[in-house]
Amino acid sequence: MALPLIDVVANAVMMSALYALVAIGFTLIFGVGGVLNLAHGATVTIGAFSAYYASEVFGFSIWVGALAAILVPGLFSAALYKGMIQRVEDDPITVMILTLVTAIAVEEIIKQGFGTQPAVISSLLTGQVSIAGGIQANSLLVFALSWVIIGLLFFAINYTKTGKAILATSMSTKGASLVGIESDRMYLYTWVLAGAFAGLAGLFLGSIQTASWSMGRAPLVLSFSIVVLGGIGSIRGSVIGAYIIGFLETFTMSYVDSSLSGLASLVVLVLILLAKPEGLFGREFTE
């Protein structure tokens, strides 16, 4: 039996905000540093399990879990950049291999340490809201928080000194250095930001669905499709791309076949690469 249209649309709107959160972190690293981080999906998983251990295992509130979901992935991203990627960032193939190996290692550590059973993370908010036939209050809060975070990022990039320095670094590393901007520090900031964004997305996904050792794979594939569709390096394009992919995914799963999850985004990825490889908005950040 087909789901009511309004329920499907509401679900697509909320999930798309989450996809945007993941894709923005992915495109930040690529747009500023020119690095394709294949460990981004694993960072989503780290965020979810950080929140799980803080709230479900150690007994803290879910809001302490949320703090863990920001700090631990942020530190993981910083360590990954400083300990590994910074040494080879001019070699894209080596970067791809190292981040892929890191992603596999993270998945294996979580699988061996936790097992393969899904982990249930407490909701940030319980109950239902009487919108579109009844929406989980947790999903609505996750949607609102995602947009608050995205809005804060837009503000920070456009109106703060550090944000403008990151933007300048993305445009020209040499030019930024001439005016006293330390590019390495800006790269580190983007990695920490991307890690925190991915970690929060992991918590949000885990609280709506469940957390598992492989939960970062789908967001990574979706991030590829979203940033290519929107324009690699474009935050605005990532948000719009996330909504296009989010609606396609949700409608495909709701009205065609739930087993086709991920197929729509891959079809879009291939079509965009063939017809408009620069994406809908080109590159917002340029080297």
Side-chain angles (χ1 to χ4, degrees):
M1 183 177 170
L3 293 170
L5 178 61
I6 191 165
D7 289 350
V8 176
V9 170
N11 188 41
V13 168
M14 287 185 285
M15 291 305 295
S16 297
L18 265 182
Y19 294 160
L21 209 56
V22 181
I24 283 174
F26 189 79
T27 206
L28 261 179
I29 290 178
F30 190 88
V32 177
V35 170
L36 204 57
N37 177 21
L38 298 183
H40 194 61
T43 315
V44 172
T45 311
I46 290 173
F49 276 89
S50 299
Y52 172 79
Y53 273 94
S55 61
E56 311 298 331
V57 177
F58 297 119
F60 295 108
S61 78
I62 187 60
W63 294 103
V64 175
L67 189 60
I70 295 172
L71 293 178
V72 176
L75 290 173
F76 167 77
S77 262
L80 179 60
Y81 174 69
K82 294 297 288 184
M84 214 182 270
I85 305 304
Q86 190 178 30
R87 306 164 193 267
V88 296
E89 58 190 347
D90 294 329
D91 184 345
I93 300 299
T94 304
V95 168
M96 287 177 65
I97 293 171
L98 284 177
T99 53
L100 178 61
V101 169
T102 301
I104 295 170
V106 168
E107 287 187 352
E108 284 300 316
I109 289 170
I110 292 176
K111 187 164 68 172
Q112 297 302 323
F114 182 81
T116 56
Q117 294 300 312
V120 178
I121 300 177
S122 298
S123 299
L124 295 162
L125 198 61
T126 57
Q128 278 204 331
V129 178
S130 301
I131 300 175
I135 295 176
Q136 294 288 332
N138 184 59
S139 298
L140 203 57
L141 179 64
V142 163
F143 168 75
L145 288 177
S146 297
W147 267 106
V148 167
I149 294 164
I150 292 168
L152 287 174
L153 177 68
F154 270 105
F155 179 83
I157 290 292
N158 290 297
Y159 298 106
T160 67
K161 187 177 176 181
T162 302
K164 289 177 181 177
I166 290 174
L167 195 58
T169 304
S170 78
M171 293 175 177
S172 170
T173 302
K174 290 181 181 176
S177 298
L178 287 175
V179 295
I181 296 171
E182 295 177 39
S183 300
D184 285 344
R185 192 150 55 93
M186 296 305 117
Y187 293 154
L188 178 61
Y189 287 168
T190 56
W191 276 80
V192 172
L193 266 177
F197 272 48
L200 270 177
L203 163 65
F204 293 163
L205 277 170
S207 72
I208 293 175
Q209 302 167 355
T210 53
S212 72
W213 63 276
S214 60
M215 66 180 290
R217 293 179 179 179
L220 179 64
V221 173
L222 288 172
S223 291
F224 265 118
S225 303
I226 289 167
V227 300
V228 169
L229 174 60
I232 294 175
S234 169
I235 295 177
R236 179 181 50 165
S238 292
V239 173
I240 294 173
Y243 271 83
I244 295 173
I245 295 294
F247 269 76
L248 275 174
E249 279 284 310
T250 307
F251 274 74
T252 301
M253 290 174 63
S254 300
Y255 294 125
V256 181
D257 192 332
S258 60
S259 65
L260 297 179
S261 171
L263 181 62
S265 61
L266 290 176
V267 171
V268 170
L269 176 62
V270 171
L271 291 177
I272 286 292
L273 285 173
L274 291 174
K276 195 173 171 59
E278 73 276 17
L280 297 177
F281 293 93
R283 284 198 67 178
E284 199 168 273
F285 291 137
T286 55
E287 294 179 332

